[in-house]
Structures are given as structure tokens and as C-alpha cells.
Amino acid sequence: MAKNMTINLRIWRQKSPETPGKLVDYTVSNASEHMSFLELLDVLNEQLIASEDDPVEFDSDCREGICGSCGVMVAGIAHGPQQRTAVCQLHMRSFKDGDTITVEPFRARAFPIVRDLVVDRSAFDRIIAAHGYVSVKTGSAPDANAIPISKDAAEEAMDFAACIGCGACVAACPNGSASLFTAAKIEHLALLPQGQVEASQRAVAMVDQMEAEGFGDCSNYAECEAVCPKGISVSGIASMRRAYMKGVFSK
Amino acid sequence: MSRPDVTLVSALMSPVGRKVLTGVTGIGLVAFVIVHMIGNLSYLSPDPQAYNAYAHKLMSLGWLLYTVEIGLALCFLLHAIVGVSIQVRRRQARPVGYKAYKSSGSPSRSGYSARSMIFTGIILLGFLILHLNSFKFGPGEAEGYTAILQSGEEVRDLRRLMTEKFREPLYAFGYPVVMVLLGMHMRHGVWSALQSLGMMSRRLSPYIYAFAALLGALVAIGFLVVPLYIYFSG
Amino acid sequence: MSDEVTNSMSELSHSPRLDAKVPAGRLQEKWDAYKDAVSLVNPANKRSHNILVVGSGLAGASAAATLAGLGYNVKCFCIQDSARRAHSIAAQGGINAAKNYPNDGDTIWRLFYDTIKGGDYRSREANVYRLAQVSNNIIDQAVAQGVPFAREYGGVLANRSFGGAQVSRTFYARGQTGQQLLLGAYQALSHQIAAGRVTMLPRREMLDLVVANDRARGIITRNLVTGELERHAGDAVLLCTGGYGNAYYLSTNAKNSNVTAAWRCYKRGAFFANPCYTQIHPTCIPVSGDYQSKLTLMSESLRNDGRVWVPKDPTDTRAPEAIPEDARDYYLERRYPSFGNLVPRDVASRAAKKECDAGRGVGETRLAVYLDFDAAIRRLGSSTIQDRYGNLFEMYERITGDDPYRTPMRIYPAVHYTMGGLWVDYELQSTIPGLFVLGEANFSDHGANRLGASALMQGLADGYFVIPYTLGAYMAGIRQSESISESHEAFTATEEEAGARIDRLLNNKGDKSPTQFHRELGQLLWNHVGMARDHAGLEEAVSSIESLRDEFWERIRVPGSADRFNKNLEFAGRIADFIELGSLMAQDALRREESCGGHFREEYQNSEGEAVRNDENFADVAAWEHTDRRPVLHLEKLSFENVHPTTRSYK
């Protein structure tokens, strides 16, 4: 049978971007090791509704680690202690009965808090809109096999394309940099012939937008790679810089 | 979409440019540090005048030396300015910090060396000023620190100056401590510079990271053996 | 119509309200003929037309990007914080197309035929044929956008066979095909956002459709951050809001997937077709406890190498590895010797349920069967298995704590996809002029059962290649002077109604949370309108749902207020609609006195327990019209001029 656990939570509560927030203590005494961390929060919220308290707001959607909606700091680590796992797939068996877990929102100036653990990550959408695409309209595509792409290139592009846009990289970065997110998209497209046409201007536009959004500098800590649910490599950041400088000098 | 309007200056002020500047200047400084360290090791040569001869040769390079010195000064300056600006932007990028924060562990490179770059950097800057004051601008031939090389040339006796300084415990132990900090700074810095200059691939990365650690350690050891030797052999 | 309700609804004739507008001519030439004849909209006029696209999944994002590229003014709405998070992102397996790159004999006809047969002959021939026709363009488009499909060593696209198809026509990007296709569409959408042709409105929930003079004129949305109700006027509304599988509470759908937008359109006059057709996917990770919030799908591809079994003896509680071969029942291989573990989804799901009902289920809850890779690992080596399924095995271990390399997986069926949806004609237009429905939200292409790797194909076909033409037919016929502004009384009235529903929820101050009601509804639907249905159970479901609905409005407690981010308020509104939908699902299942595809009626099976279809009386689409009293049924009779309905057999 599944073990019953008591978990103490210290959760960041904040009503709006303007009002100051604070950590509030809660206890869930009927947790199970088979629960996901978000299910623990669900149970807590049911408890809070029953006692006429305000439930904790947090984003979540697919709960299978692919949509990138969820993301909180669990015990000081973005998405919690298990690597390569979004918090929706973090299970309570990673914790011990009686543990006290601090839960905070992803923090960055570019990710303003909406409420409690919910943050606004629209800065990422604006980075993609800056040029995170191939400029091709519907209907103008040649046959899919017209341009051969080596298996290795396709696989490597896929490694970067796997980014779920959750923002853990920003949250974990001591500097609050969005370099891994930005680089992942630049690299995904730069590795494919379809994306190479606009590769340098894409890199310049996206890096400039990243700067405009108020993200911090990258100090090559690689903390982002360690917390990335998809394990995206910081080697992409190196390539992004190459593409950026090429974009500048080839002008 | 038209190409965004970028100039070389605006590019160097961009997040990528700042890293490139840090990396390029850092590599310049690493080169200097390695040459300096090898030079220092000549103190341990069986030839008692080897060190003074090396120093003299360096000084007699003339304009070439001045060019290198100006270059190094620029490197220091830029490296420090960008380093501090990154630190300032870091505060701006996360105005409210975490109550609980820790590293997720490997493959994170965010260990002590990486997290202390700004502190080791500031200490190294302070050290540099003291160091220049003690040695480069310290007592020379005018104060009687003169040595005669085998060739009969009369040169500044840096060896004596060094020997005297490192007989003092503050110098003998203070220097090695700073050199350990230099090694730490280089451990993250060398890896970081290559990453910043885009010279990294996923396969190469672990080797380069190990190489950076090795280089940092070698430089630290290379520098600290001389003061310790002087102190303990005295 | 409402006065003509008869006892035996199957005797209804084709409803004049349901004109499918299928073009005349040979099946193969219908779409081309349509495109040749359809009116074009003057480019200068396109700029002055506002199109509202609700939802940003494959259908919504592709439609919004394409229409904006054509010059329309587009507003796109999504409930997530970013268009990139729509639930299409979770699709794993792949996307079908009739490219025939492997040269294994695939054709557009075969893809059409497999899809219509897989749907158990309950879909419209012309729509399905068009879907197969445009499937190839989708792959071209996706590749041009930079979708990193799997490749062969020679650099050409790789294909695999999926869901028991006899040809390899499935394109894939690891187990993340939906994610990659969605990112492609999202990037195309972002391109148009940057160009100023799409206004993207994330964190918006559509709460109602504004209808005036019998046309869709706009929508009312709630800003999920500020709580504000907003009015958006448009010349056409494209509903791309996905399926309603979350009616069951536990499903593989995302937490925010819901029926509200579609249900509101239903209540404004759009007919809801075939709500009883739900797909139960056989390979999901079983429920582990009461706290369970959703179910996780494990790709169907696992059945290519995994063997499904249960212990022969229900009392055998040994660890699976300790149970010898002769004490195991590989029931799929036993019952379906030619297809074995690769029988279609509906068949595999029902078989698992049958074993568990007989007490042979495994695991703590006894609601699971084993999916065993031991034989495959011994035959192929664990490194081959790792290459094929490594990421799935990892995911399984992360969720359950068990290592599938060493011990069999435990799996159980879960609600996955809904074939039913708003009724649309060939132009994807609902029964409300100006309201178009795309992707999973419509009923059109999958009949009673959807084949693997066809959902992505349909969403993108609708958005990229169908709606750009068919919307033109509607837009060419409307005049700008007919547009109404957001201050029109229809907007005022509709917004007031939406506001009143929210107030009612918040002011009720009962004692049960939205989730409690959702679980109860889910349990009811799962038990009675799930994998196997019968008359008595369905009648019970209708009446139980009725009382649940009354209880809901008596006892619901929604915390917080309307003027802020309030997840429970969102949930409560959606659950209220799910409850009403649940009742319609049961009524539709009750009316359909046959077994077909995802709809299995216990009364209609043969001596071997296989589904028995009734083409004579039920070769139709059941489209329900909302009235103040009870839903009224309209039928679209399906005619098969090109294929002949046969019994699906996988023996």
C-alpha cells in the first residue's frame, strides 16, 4: 500500500503584483507517495476551500510535462529536486514524511507575479514574435522531401525544439537570464536548412528582444540546463552567440 | 522583416556582446597570468640570476612591452566594468530574491567558483593594485636594489625584493590565498570565456570544463610555490 | 421540430436543417470543384473583415496564421498564458499523410478508406476524402516551418506504421509530434502577430457567443487575470476549442480543456453532433488514488512490442515476474489471433475492461492489466527497446516508481478524445451562420472512432487548408454595413447573462467545491457512458446527472471573487456546462441502439462479445438542438456512395 505522508508547506502568497507577498505555512496530513506535487497542492486547495480560505493559485494544464504551464520553485529548485522533470511529474516519493517544503513562484522582473504562484511569462512570446519563426506562408512550401536533412541535424534540432517554454531556466539562473530559452529556439531553426536562410537576423532580433524584456546576463552557470525539464544543453547558448556575432559582422 | 539596425558598438553592448567582451579580455588576462607565472618559476632555477635576467629581458622590450601593458590595462578595465555591470543587471533582473534557493547540481556549473566571480574579481583587482605597488613600482636601482648579470650588465635586483617581501608572513601567506582565488576565478572563467565565444559543442563541453579546472589549479600552484618556498627556505 | 419528437428516434428522416453542402461530382473531384467555384474575397475587403479565432491549438493557430497571411484582421484567444500551450501539444504518436514515401502502396484513397472504416462508417465521405487529400500539404508546410520530423540516414523523412495500419504513413518527431506541429503553427502565428495582423489575447475564456439577426457576430470573453468581461465583435467566429473528454474528470486531456465555448454555442443554436462518441485509449497509466487529477497516456506504439496479459487465476497475487507463462492469459493474442496486441483502440480498451470486470485486474486497485516487454527485451535486447521507447519508459518510471525494463507496466484505458462535437457542413460552418468549428471541436471526420495519428492531421487540415477557402464563401456573401458594433444590444444582453452566471456561482456559498462535483460527474459518466453502455445504465445516468445538476446549483461553493485570477471560478463554470453536456451524452448514447466505434452498447454484441452495428437504422449523424425544454434530435443520414460499410473484424 502507498505510504501516507505528512508534508509541511511554506507557500508564497501574494494577492497582486503590487501588494507584497509572504510565505504562509500549511500542512497536508494525507499526502501519498504516489501523488504528484501538483496533486498535493490540489489536496491542499480542497482543504482550504473546505475551511473557507483562499486556495493557492498556480498554473498547470497538461500535467504530463509537455505544455510548460506549470513551474514553481520547490525547495529552492525550479521544478523541484528531481532533474529533467516538470513539477507536474514530480512525485511525492522524492520527499520524506514530515518534510517542510518551501514553494515560491518563478522570480524575474520579466515574469511579473499575477497571483500567488502564477507569473506572467508573455515575455517569452514576444521573444518568439521577434523572429522565432521561419517566414513561410501557408501554401508556399515545396515538397517535404525536396531538401534532405541529415538524421543527425534533425535529431539535434529536435533536442533544442523540445523546449517547453516553462521559464525554469530564467527562474533558476542566478542572473535571471533567458539565454537558454532564446538559444533553444535559435538553434532549433539554425540547424535546419529551412531556418538557415534567416539564421543571423533571427539571432540578432531575438537576442535584442531578450534584452528589451529585462532579463539578466548569462554568466555561464549552466544552472538552466540542470533544471530544464528537457535537459536542453547550454551548448546552444554558445552557438547562439556565434550566430549573433556572425549576424553583426556579416552585415 | 528587415534586419534590425545593429552597429558593432550596439552589438558589443548587447547581452551577447557583453559576454564576448568578458571572454576576449579574460583570455588576454589568462595569457598574461600564464606568462607571468612561468616567469616567476625562474626564481626556482639553479641559476640565481635567472629571474633577474628574465625580468630585465622583459623590461628591455621597450615599446612592445608598453603596447602589451596598455592592452592588458584595457583588458583589466573592460573586464572589470562589464563584470560589474553584469552584477548590477542581475539585481535589476530579479528585484525580489528567493527565500529558499539552491543549485540543482550537475550539469550545473554553478559551484563556488562560478558564484563567487564578482568577489574573487574584486579581490583580484585590489590585489593587483597592491601587487603593482609592491613590485612594479616598488624599490629599484635608485634604492640600491641592483644585481649584476653574468653578462656584466647592471640590472634591478627584483630577486632580492621578492625574497625580502616573501620572508614577511603577511606576504608569504597572503599571496597564496589570493592565488587560490585566482585559480577559482580561472576555473569558471576559462570555461565561461570559451562558452561565451561560441567555441563550445555539447561533446567538447565536459572536457573544456575539466581543462579549465586543471588550468586554474596549475596557475594557482605555479604562483603559490614561489612565495612558500621563499618563506620556508629562509 | 420540437413538437415532432417521436419515440423511435431512428425513424426520423434526414433533417432539412442539416444541409451538408457537399459539392456534386465524383468524390475525388469534389474539393477541386469546390475551390474552382468558391467566391474570392477582394484583398482590400479582407483587411476590413475581423475574424475571431477561439483557441490556439493546431486548428486555431494554423487558421489564425493562415487567415492573417491572407490579409484578414484576426483576433486569436486562448485560455492558457501562451498560445503555445494548447493541448495539441501533448499529442505523442504522429501525423498521417498519404505521401507514400516508403513506396508501400499508400494512396489518398487508402488513407480515406482506412479513416472512414476506422470510424466505423459514421462519418461523411466527402469530408474524409478531402482530409486525405490535403494531408500531404500539411507535411510540406510543417517541414517548411522547421518542424524537425524524424529522418532516415539518407536525409529523407522517416515513416512508421501506427495503430495497426498496413502502410507506414505516420510522420513523427520522437514522442512529441503534437508539440512540434503546434510549435510550427505557433511560430507562424507569432510571425503574423509581429506583423500586426493578429492580435493575440491569451488568458481569455470565451463565455458566450453573440448572435444577432441569426448570425454569429462576436463573443464575450473573461479576462482570466483581471476577471473583466470583454466584448469582441467579428464578422465570423472560428471555434477551435478542442474536445470535451474532461467531462469524465479523469482523462488524458489537460486540466483546462473544456466544453464551455462549444456548449455556449450549442445553447445559442449550434447543433451538437454525436456527443456519445468518445474514444477510450487503452494504454494509460492507471489511477493510483482519490487525489488523481488526470491520467497520462503512454503511446500506442508500445503495443508494437509489449504483450498484454493478466493472471489466469484472479486470486493470483504474486509479483508479475513470479507468475509462470502457463498461469498468464495473453487475452488479446488469444481472442484476436491475427491482430493480437495491435487491435484498434476501442477493441483493446473493452477487452481490458472485460478482464478487470471478471476480477483478473492487477495492482492495488485491480483496475489495470500488464503490458510486458520481457519477451521483446529477450528477443531484441534492452538497448533496442531503449531506442524505441526509452523516453516512455522513463516517463512511466517517473510517475509510478516502477522500472518497466524489469517489471511489466500496468496500464488501463482512459478517456482520450471525443469524436463528437458541433455539427458542421462541408464548409465547416455550424448551424449558426458565421460560426465555424474546426479540429476536435467539430464532429466531422472521425465518425465513431478516430484512428491513431489522425487528430493532428484533421486539426491542421481544417486550419491551414480548408477554412481559408470555405470562410471566403461566407465572407464574400456578407456586407460590411451589416456588421454590428460592440455596443449593440446583443452584446449587452449576452454579457449580462455571462455576468449573471458568474454571480450566481459566487453568491451560492454552498459547501461543495467545484472539483468534488467534477469527480462525481466523471464517475457517473465513466460508469454509465464509458467503455460499455446499456439502456438501464444510461437511463440511470440521465436521471443521476439531473439530480447532480440540481445539487450543483444548491451546494456549489466557489471561493474568492470575480475580479481577479480565480481558477476555481473558471472550473465551476466549466463543470456546470460539463454536467449539462453529460446528460446529452447519455441521451445520445441511449438513442443510438447499436454498437459502433467508441460507442459500445452491451445489448448490441454478438456471441463473441464483438460490436454489432446497425447500418439500416443508425447510419446517421445525430445532431442535437438545444431548446428550453429538452434537446431535439435532427438527423443527417449518411450515404456511402464510394465505400461499402463492412463489419470490422480483427480476429
Side-chain angles (χ1 to χ4, degrees):
Chain A
M1 283 303 283
K3 248 187 2 216
N4 197 57
M5 306 166 87
T6 295
I7 298 289
N8 304 304
L9 293 161
R10 309 194 66 203
I11 301 179
W12 185 261
R13 304 302 309 262
Q14 183 171 343
K15 284 194 158 56
S16 71
E18 298 80 31
T19 49
K22 62 171 192 289
L23 286 173
V24 179
D25 291 337
Y26 301 97
T27 299
V28 175
S29 51
N30 54 341
S32 151
E33 58 176 349
H34 293 319
M35 246 175 208
S36 73
F37 192 80
L38 296 186
E39 283 168 345
L40 179 80
L41 294 184
D42 289 343
V43 171
L44 170 67
N45 278 348
E46 288 300 301
Q47 225 170 273
L48 291 175
I49 294 173
S51 59
E52 307 196 2
D53 273 332
D54 214 7
V56 179
E57 298 291 357
F58 61 94
D59 265 324
S60 97
D61 204 15
C62 78
R63 298 211 174 181
E64 46 187 274
I66 193 75
C67 75
S69 295
C70 66
V72 291
M73 300 294 284
V74 178
I77 300 175
H79 289 302
Q82 186 170 354
Q83 288 193 345
R84 294 214 173 198
T85 304
V87 70
C88 59
Q89 292 203 312
L90 173 69
H91 281 67
M92 294 313 294
R93 67 182 77 88
S94 296
F95 299 92
K96 292 192 303 290
D97 188 23
D99 272 359
T100 297
I101 306 167
T102 303
V103 187
E104 288 179 86
F106 282 177
R107 294 191 189 279
R109 186 176 63 150
F111 286 175
I113 290 184
V114 173
R115 191 181 179 95
D116 296 340
L117 304 173
V118 178
V119 298
D120 175 358
R121 287 166 291 190
S122 54
F124 273 10
D125 290 313
R126 291 186 292 274
I127 292 176
I128 298 295
H131 207 138
Y133 48 78
V134 175
S135 305
V136 56
K137 278 192 187 176
T138 308
S140 54
D143 184 83
N145 260 346
I147 306 170
I149 300 176
S150 82
K151 188 178 167 72
D152 289 346
E155 291 295 320
E156 206 183 340
M158 182 64 212
D159 288 343
F160 289 109
C163 168
I164 60 173
C166 62
C169 45
V170 173
C173 176
N175 295 1
S177 166
S179 291
L180 190 64
F181 169 80
T182 309
K185 185 49 62 190
I186 291 174
E187 269 308 279
H188 153 213
L189 294 175
L191 285 160
L192 299 169
Q194 290 80 4
Q196 273 153 17
V197 181
E198 303 165 279
S200 342
Q201 70 194 86
R202 174 180 304 117
V204 172
M206 291 180 71
V207 167
D208 288 352
Q209 187 63 35
M210 171 175 89
E211 165 95 334
E213 295 291 343
F215 291 104
D217 282 284
C218 170
S219 285
N220 300 319
Y221 293 122
E223 190 64 36
C224 48
E225 180 179 335
V227 299
C228 176
K230 297 292 160 189
I232 291 173
S233 163
V234 292
S235 68
I237 301 179
S239 316
M240 167 178 83
R241 289 170 175 147
R242 223 161 35 221
Y244 183 90
M245 292 322 277
K246 200 174 147 202
V248 171
F249 287 111
S250 66
K251 198 181 171 184
Chain B
M1 267 188 74
S2 64
R3 178 169 293 204
D5 193 26
V6 201
T7 63
L8 182 59
V9 176
S10 78
L12 287 176
M13 301 306 283
S14 77
V16 168
R18 285 194 290 270
K19 290 315 291 178
V20 169
L21 273 182
T22 317
V24 168
T25 53
I27 286 177
L29 295 174
V30 167
F32 158 71
V33 158
I34 291 171
V35 171
H36 190 331
M37 180 201 76
I38 294 169
N40 278 14
L41 287 176
S42 67
Y43 184 100
L44 304 175
S45 158
D47 171 10
Q49 288 308 327
Y51 184 69
N52 281 336
Y54 150 76
H56 180 67
K57 196 157 197 178
L58 213 57
M59 292 306 291
S60 55
L61 288 174
W63 63 270
L64 189 64
L65 179 70
Y66 299 130
T67 312
V68 171
E69 280 182 341
I70 290 168
L72 281 175
L74 270 176
C75 281
F76 265 114
L77 205 65
L78 278 174
H79 198 80
I81 290 172
V82 179
V84 169
S85 87
I86 287 173
Q87 198 61 24
V88 170
R89 287 175 50 84
R90 161 198 189 130
R91 292 276 158 95
Q92 293 168 342
R94 184 171 293 130
V96 180
Y98 292 112
K99 304 283 174 193
Y101 179 86
K102 62 183 180 201
S103 170
S104 177
S106 175
S108 169
R109 311 296 198 204
S110 161
Y112 290 116
S113 315
R115 301 296 295 280
S116 59
M117 290 301 273
I118 187 70
F119 306 110
T120 49
I122 288 169
I123 292 169
L124 286 170
L125 184 69
F127 166 81
L128 178 71
I129 294 164
L130 293 174
H131 179 68
L132 289 176
N133 186 50
S134 303
F135 291 98
K136 187 166 178 66
F137 304 113
E141 284 140 298
E143 286 81 14
Y145 284 81
T146 325
I148 298 165
L149 299 182
Q150 270 174 333
S151 60
E153 250 181 305
E154 208 168 272
V155 298
R156 183 181 178 201
D157 193 354
L158 264 174
R159 187 184 168 91
R160 180 181 144 206
L161 180 61
M162 216 164 138
T163 313
E164 285 172 8
K165 288 284 184 195
F166 290 126
R167 290 269 156 82
E168 296 173 31
L170 186 67
Y171 274 83
F173 296 106
Y175 262 64
V177 167
V178 176
M179 290 307 110
V180 170
L181 297 182
L182 172 65
M184 281 171 64
H185 198 85
M186 279 178 62
R187 184 197 175 181
H188 181 71
V190 169
W191 180 79
S192 182
L194 294 173
Q195 166 80 1
S196 292
L197 295 175
M199 294 176 186
M200 201 68 79
S201 75
R202 225 181 320 179
R203 241 161 298 154
L204 223 52
S205 173
Y207 298 105
I208 295 203
Y209 190 63
F211 165 75
L214 187 70
L215 192 67
L218 283 179
V219 166
I221 293 166
F223 271 120
L224 63 77
V225 288
V226 177
L228 291 179
Y229 170 79
I230 294 171
Y231 183 79
F232 287 108
S233 63
Chain C
M1 264 325 262
S2 58
D3 299 324
E4 297 169 23
V5 179
T6 57
N7 284 334
S8 176
M9 286 170 171
S10 58
E11 286 163 21
L12 282 177
S13 57
H14 190 104
S15 165
R17 302 271 303 273
L18 298 176
D19 176 8
K21 294 195 213 149
V22 174
R26 280 181 66 223
L27 183 64
Q28 289 83 342
E29 287 152 16
K30 285 180 193 289
W31 181 230
D32 285 336
Y34 179 89
K35 288 193 288 185
D36 288 345
V38 72
S39 320
L40 294 177
V41 182
N42 181 321
N45 288 347
K46 281 184 191 150
R47 276 193 291 279
S48 60
H49 283 310
N50 296 312
I51 312 295
L52 307 180
V53 178
V54 188
S56 66
L58 288 180
S62 61
T66 304
L67 295 174
L70 289 174
Y72 291 106
N73 247 330
V74 177
K75 271 189 193 175
C76 183
F77 304 82
C78 71
I79 46 175
Q80 295 84 358
D81 67 325
S82 163
R84 67 178 293 151
R85 308 203 198 283
H87 190 54
S88 305
I89 205 155
Q92 298 173 357
I95 177 166
N96 285 334
K99 282 283 193 185
N100 192 31
Y101 286 149
N103 200 27
D104 55 0
D106 199 14
T107 62
I108 288 170
W109 174 269
R110 282 184 195 279
L111 175 54
F112 154 73
Y113 180 78
D114 287 353
T115 306
I116 210 151
K117 178 189 173 198
D120 225 354
Y121 303 97
R122 290 293 174 265
S123 40
R124 201 185 282 148
E125 277 187 343
N127 282 57
V128 179
Y129 194 85
R130 176 180 63 191
L131 174 66
Q133 274 177 305
V134 301
S135 66
N136 292 342
N137 304 55
I138 298 171
I139 305 303
D140 298 341
Q141 190 62 34
V143 167
Q145 289 168 342
V147 170
F149 284 124
R151 300 263 164 182
E152 304 289 356
Y153 280 106
V156 297
L157 289 155
N159 287 108
R160 64 180 170 201
S161 160
F162 202 76
Q166 285 166 309
V167 290
S168 291
R169 63 161 73 102
T170 303
F171 295 79
Y172 61 99
R174 297 201 188 138
Q176 288 143 265
T177 318
Q179 180 201 26
Q180 293 310 313
L181 289 168
L182 182 64
L183 291 181
Y186 159 74
Q187 285 164 204
L189 179 64
S190 299
H191 185 189
Q192 297 301 332
I193 293 169
R197 288 190 286 264
V198 175
T199 307
M200 185 70 217
L201 296 147
R203 291 206 200 265
R204 298 298 199 291
E205 176 156 27
M206 173 177 158
L207 291 184
D208 217 331
L209 179 76
V210 179
V211 180
N213 307 324
D214 297 324
R215 281 171 187 265
R217 303 294 191 164
I219 62 172
I220 302 295
T221 58
R222 178 169 180 266
N223 179 323
L224 300 181
V225 174
T226 63
E228 216 175 316
L229 295 183
E230 302 163 331
R231 304 172 181 193
H232 301 279
D235 298 304
V237 177
L238 274 54
L239 204 69
C240 312
T241 50
Y244 50 87
N246 266 350
Y248 292 86
Y249 184 65
L250 287 182
S251 82
T252 64
N253 284 7
K255 293 302 287 175
N256 288 304
S257 300
N258 69 83
V259 78
T260 287
W263 196 249
R264 295 286 131 202
C265 293
Y266 164 71
K267 293 195 120 178
R268 297 276 168 203
F271 291 3
F272 207 112
N274 300 335
C276 77
Y277 290 157
T278 52
Q279 181 165 79
I280 316 278
H281 198 290
T283 51
C284 300
I285 299 178
V287 175
S288 66
D290 303 333
Y291 46 80
Q292 191 95 25
S293 61
K294 81 149 286 174
L295 296 170
T296 302
L297 177 78
M298 300 299 290
S299 171
E300 182 156 34
S301 60
L302 288 169
R303 286 196 283 142
N304 287 338
D305 286 304
R307 298 178 73 195
V308 177
W309 64 275
V310 290
K312 280 183 181 159
D313 175 5
T315 61
D316 191 343
T317 53
R318 286 176 287 182
E321 309 86 86
I323 300 179
E325 280 294 309
D326 59 2
R328 301 174 175 194
D329 180 11
Y330 294 91
Y331 59 88
L332 286 177
E333 296 170 23
R334 172 172 57 78
R335 287 175 58 189
Y336 306 98
S338 67
F339 275 72
N341 295 297
L342 291 173
V343 291
R345 293 175 178 178
D346 52 340
V347 178
S349 294
R350 276 198 300 278
K353 175 180 159 46
K354 197 172 168 183
E355 295 305 320
C356 294
D357 287 350
R360 287 199 289 268
V362 300
E364 271 175 37
T365 59
R366 310 296 301 256
L367 284 175
V369 298
Y370 290 125
L371 179 62
D372 199 333
F373 291 86
D374 188 44
I377 289 171
R378 272 186 283 126
R379 187 176 73 242
L380 304 163
S382 62
S383 73
T384 305
I385 293 298
Q386 188 174 357
D387 283 350
R388 286 185 191 168
Y389 311 111
N391 58 340
L392 293 169
F393 278 30
E394 229 175 81
M395 179 159 88
Y396 181 84
E397 185 173 3
R398 211 175 293 144
I399 292 173
T400 63
D402 287 339
D403 176 6
Y405 292 102
R406 270 185 284 189
T407 184
M409 284 184 179
R410 275 173 289 117
I411 54 162
Y412 198 64
V415 176
H416 176 55
Y417 187 89
T418 52
M419 282 72 68
L422 293 181
W423 184 89
V424 291
D425 59 20
Y426 189 71
E427 295 180 323
L428 304 182
Q429 189 163 218
S430 71
T431 48
I432 302 175
L435 173 68
F436 294 80
V437 190
L438 284 67
E440 190 180 351
N442 73 28
F443 87 105
S444 87
D445 294 354
H446 305 297
N449 177 50
R450 180 177 65 74
L451 287 185
S454 291
L456 304 182
M457 172 171 71
Q458 186 222 339
L460 290 177
D462 288 358
Y464 283 135
F465 298 109
V466 178
I467 198 70
Y469 291 95
T470 62
L471 183 68
Y474 177 75
M475 300 311 287
I478 62 168
R479 277 190 302 278
Q480 209 49 45
S481 57
E482 291 173 2
S483 300
I484 63 169
S485 81
E486 284 158 10
S487 53
H488 188 276
E489 57 185 14
F491 274 96
T492 312
T494 313
E495 186 190 317
E496 275 170 11
E497 283 176 45
R501 272 195 301 276
I502 290 174
D503 291 343
R504 191 175 168 200
L505 287 168
L506 282 165
N507 295 336
N508 196 59
K509 307 274 180 231
D511 61 349
K512 273 175 83 169
S513 73
T515 305
Q516 281 175 290
F517 279 105
H518 202 172
R519 278 182 211 280
E520 282 176 36
L521 172 69
Q523 201 55 251
L524 265 170
L525 290 174
W526 182 244
N527 290 342
H528 300 302
V529 200
M531 275 184 281
R533 302 139 181 206
D534 63 50
H535 191 271
L538 289 167
E539 283 201 318
E540 194 190 320
V542 173
S543 75
S544 305
I545 293 170
E546 205 70 25
S547 10
L548 187 68
R549 182 184 162 158
D550 294 342
E551 193 194 334
F552 179 88
W553 289 109
E554 238 167 68
R555 295 183 61 188
I556 184 70
R557 170 174 197 86
V558 182
S561 57
D563 58 353
R564 45 160 270 205
F565 191 94
N566 188 342
K567 208 88 225 171
N568 274 280
L569 175 60
E570 296 170 29
F571 286 150
R574 296 169 193 166
I575 293 156
D577 291 335
F578 274 136
I579 292 176
E580 296 183 13
L581 165 76
S583 170
L584 190 67
M585 288 164 71
Q587 290 174 62
D588 187 48
L590 200 52
R591 179 320 276 194
R592 190 165 285 282
E593 293 171 341
E594 63 163 350
S595 294
C596 64
H599 169 69
F600 186 83
R601 283 281 297 264
E602 299 277 9
E603 304 95 318
Y604 307 101
Q605 55 181 313
N606 64 21
S607 55
E608 287 168 311
E610 303 302 330
V612 174
R613 218 173 52 218
N614 180 344
D615 291 335
E616 203 179 318
N617 296 320
F618 293 97
D620 57 35
V621 176
W624 299 87
E625 180 188 17
H626 171 74
T627 69
D628 289 336
R629 288 183 299 145
R630 50 184 305 172
V632 172
L633 178 69
H634 301 264
L635 291 183
E636 178 193 344
K637 293 284 187 187
L638 293 169
S639 57
F640 294 94
E641 290 156 12
N642 299 278
V643 295
H644 297 288
T646 52
T647 303
R648 291 191 304 157
S649 172
Y650 301 95
K651 288 280 171 194

